[in-house]
Amino acid sequence: MVLRQFLNAMGRVMFTSVFLVSTSGRGLERLPKPKNVFVNSTNMRHILRWSPVRFPLGGITYSVQFQGEFERHHKKTWVVISECSRITETWCDVTADISSDVDYDLKVRSQFENITSKWANLSKLFNRRESNLRTPRLTVNVRGGSLTLDVSEISKNIHARIYYWEKGAEQQILNISMDHNPFNVNLRSGITYCFQAQLYISGYNKSSYPSDPICETVNKDATSNEIVSVVTTVLLLGASILVVSLFLTWKLCCRVQSAWFPKVSAPYVPNFDTLQVDTTREEDRRKEFCDAVQVLPQSEPLLSQCQPLTREERSNCKTDIESWTINSGMSGNVSQLQCPMAIQYWKEYQSQQNSEFSKLTKNGTDTTQIFEEFNKR
């Protein structure tokens, strides 16, 4: 297989050498020029086409030039189309170069390495007014009371005329013109409309065949439901975003406050204005916490029992009685008394008071009255 490729390559080189030597003295008559050169123009798109050149060695390229009315009559020159220089295709888009409504001439030639053919021109001059308009493709989208029309062939120089009517009333046909896509039409709800599209070129008096009719029913309720759904969705989404934003802002403020202004517990200070002071009187304290103590004055029996004593002893006995009265009320200890007669007399007197107190208590007499009675005695 490698040997076959090598032989083919050598054959091509030898054939090329022989071809160049044989045509070097006779010009370019052996490299044929393109044939059947014409312009195919549809919907204002202009394509120059030609038949391919048959050459045994292959590798043929093509170059295209054009000449407008100004170049043809005044400058006597040709303009090179850079996009179509040394190309291998057998067509060239010249739409951008044919930019006015004048007659244009175009030519093309073939080329093999450094060898070029003669130029092949159009059989007649071309004017873009000759462009053909083909039947458009119409698309109708219904959204409630609004319809969206789309005609794919609309361009800068080509517009569309829309015919529409109520289904069943074909004699009442209305039409509108549209120069862009998409195009919205507002119609009555609950009615079926039919539509047709036709292309035309403004100023050329040229139009295409109309498209096939498309019938659609307008339903306004669908749009109302869609609007309600969209509005509800937007409101819920906005409310969610607002709640999340407020929550994040609150958390951020709390963090900033805790970082820059930390809380410090204040020491406890008592309120002296509300502090209650125990102002209980001495008399009330005695009545509340202390038992009643009856202090007996010196009586005749006690003095009679103490007469045999000396003056110093009577003085001590009197002092001991007073001391015993106080000590007995405070601690209940009577062992400190030094007067036996006073002790005996006190015991008898205390027994008598206790019996009288018990009788008064059993009779239902009030305790306060009992103490007043005892104080009188």
Side-chain angles (χ1 to χ4, degrees):
M1 184 175 180
V2 176
L3 180 62
R4 183 181 299 177
Q5 293 177 353
F6 177 74
L7 294 176
N8 290 335
M10 291 297 296
R12 290 172 62 86
V13 172
M14 293 178 63
F15 183 83
T16 301
S17 301
V18 173
F19 177 79
L20 293 176
V21 171
S22 62
T23 57
S24 58
R26 293 182 297 174
L28 302 175
E29 296 177 356
R30 293 300 182 92
L31 187 62
K33 65 179 181 181
K35 297 180 180 181
N36 301 322
V37 181
F38 67 99
V39 177
N40 182 11
S41 179
T42 303
N43 291 345
M44 297 298 289
R45 185 184 181 193
H46 319 300
I47 305 296
L48 180 67
R49 297 185 181 275
W50 59 88
S51 299
V53 174
R54 304 296 180 182
F55 189 66
L57 300 180
I60 295 296
T61 59
Y62 306 94
S63 298
V64 178
Q65 296 180 1
F66 78 92
Q67 188 180 62
E69 186 175 352
F70 179 76
E71 290 84 6
R72 186 170 56 255
H73 295 291
H74 300 281
K75 297 182 68 174
K76 307 295 182 181
T77 58
W78 290 83
V79 180
V80 177
I81 301 177
S82 58
E83 293 83 0
C84 298
S85 294
R86 303 186 68 89
I87 59 175
T88 58
E89 293 84 1
T90 58
W91 61 271
C92 173
D93 190 347
V94 295
T95 302
D97 302 290
I98 301 177
S99 58
S100 62
D101 295 338
V102 298
D103 295 336
Y104 285 84
D105 192 9
L106 295 103
K107 63 181 182 180
V108 59
R109 71 179 179 183
S110 58
Q111 184 174 353
F112 177 77
E113 295 183 356
N114 294 327
I115 301 174
T116 59
S117 70
K118 290 184 178 181
W119 289 99
N121 294 68
L122 292 173
S123 58
K124 65 172 186 176
L125 300 179
F126 171 76
N127 193 302
R128 68 179 187 178
R129 291 176 177 268
E130 302 172 4
S131 181
N132 299 318
L133 297 177
R134 62 186 178 186
T135 304
R137 296 188 302 271
L138 174 63
T139 303
V140 180
N141 295 320
V142 181
R143 291 188 177 182
S146 177
L147 296 96
T148 302
L149 306 178
D150 188 285
V151 181
S152 59
E153 287 78 10
I154 288 181
S155 62
K156 179 181 179 180
N157 299 317
I158 301 176
H159 305 295
R161 185 179 291 109
I162 305 297
Y163 299 94
Y164 67 97
W165 62 91
E166 294 183 12
K167 189 174 182 180
E170 286 77 5
Q171 68 277 6
Q172 298 178 359
I173 299 178
L174 304 175
N175 68 85
I176 54 176
S177 297
M178 56 181 292
D179 55 0
H180 63 276
N181 285 316
F183 190 81
N184 295 324
V185 182
N186 295 321
L187 300 174
R188 293 184 298 172
S189 61
I191 299 177
T192 301
Y193 290 90
C194 297
F195 300 88
Q196 274 186 324
Q198 184 183 36
L199 299 179
Y200 72 95
I201 301 176
S202 179
Y204 287 7
N205 195 22
K206 183 187 290 287
S207 59
S208 68
Y209 290 103
S211 64
D212 295 332
I214 299 177
C215 298
E216 295 290 346
T217 302
V218 181
N219 187 1
K220 190 173 182 179
D221 295 337
T223 300
S224 301
N225 295 334
E226 290 180 1
I227 293 175
V228 172
S229 301
V230 171
V231 171
T232 304
T233 303
V234 171
L235 290 177
L236 291 176
L237 183 60
S240 301
I241 295 175
L242 179 61
V243 171
V244 173
S245 301
L246 292 176
F247 177 75
L248 294 178
T249 304
W250 175 73
K251 294 292 290 183
L252 179 61
C253 292
C254 291
R255 289 180 176 271
V256 172
Q257 184 178 7
S258 61
W260 291 91
F261 307 101
K263 293 184 178 180
V264 178
S265 299
Y268 173 75
V269 178
N271 189 356
F272 293 99
D273 295 336
T274 60
L275 186 63
Q276 295 183 355
V277 180
D278 188 7
T279 58
T280 307
R281 292 181 301 176
E282 187 68 20
E283 296 178 358
D284 297 336
R285 185 181 292 110
R286 289 176 181 176
K287 292 181 180 180
E288 184 176 1
F289 300 103
C290 301
D291 295 332
V293 177
Q294 181 68 32
V295 180
L296 298 177
Q298 286 185 337
S299 59
E300 292 297 331
L302 182 60
L303 294 175
S304 62
Q305 292 291 335
C306 293
Q307 284 180 0
L309 297 177
T310 63
R311 180 178 298 177
E312 184 180 355
E313 290 176 347
R314 284 198 303 269
S315 178
N316 292 334
C317 182
K318 181 179 179 181
T319 303
D320 291 338
I321 291 173
E322 294 177 355
S323 176
W324 177 83
T325 304
I326 296 173
N327 292 333
S328 63
M330 296 178 60
S331 61
N333 185 10
V334 297
S335 61
Q336 299 178 3
L337 292 177
Q338 297 180 5
C339 184
M341 293 179 66
I343 295 174
Q344 182 65 27
Y345 176 79
W346 174 253
K347 287 182 179 181
E348 292 177 358
Y349 179 79
Q350 186 68 32
S351 176
Q352 182 181 359
Q353 296 294 329
N354 290 336
S355 61
E356 293 181 2
F357 183 80
S358 299
K359 291 178 181 181
L360 294 175
T361 304
K362 290 180 180 181
N363 294 334
T365 306
D366 188 12
T367 307
T368 305
Q369 295 179 359
I370 295 173
F371 287 139
E372 292 178 356
E373 184 66 20
F374 276 87
N375 289 331
K376 292 178 181 180
R377 296 180 182 181

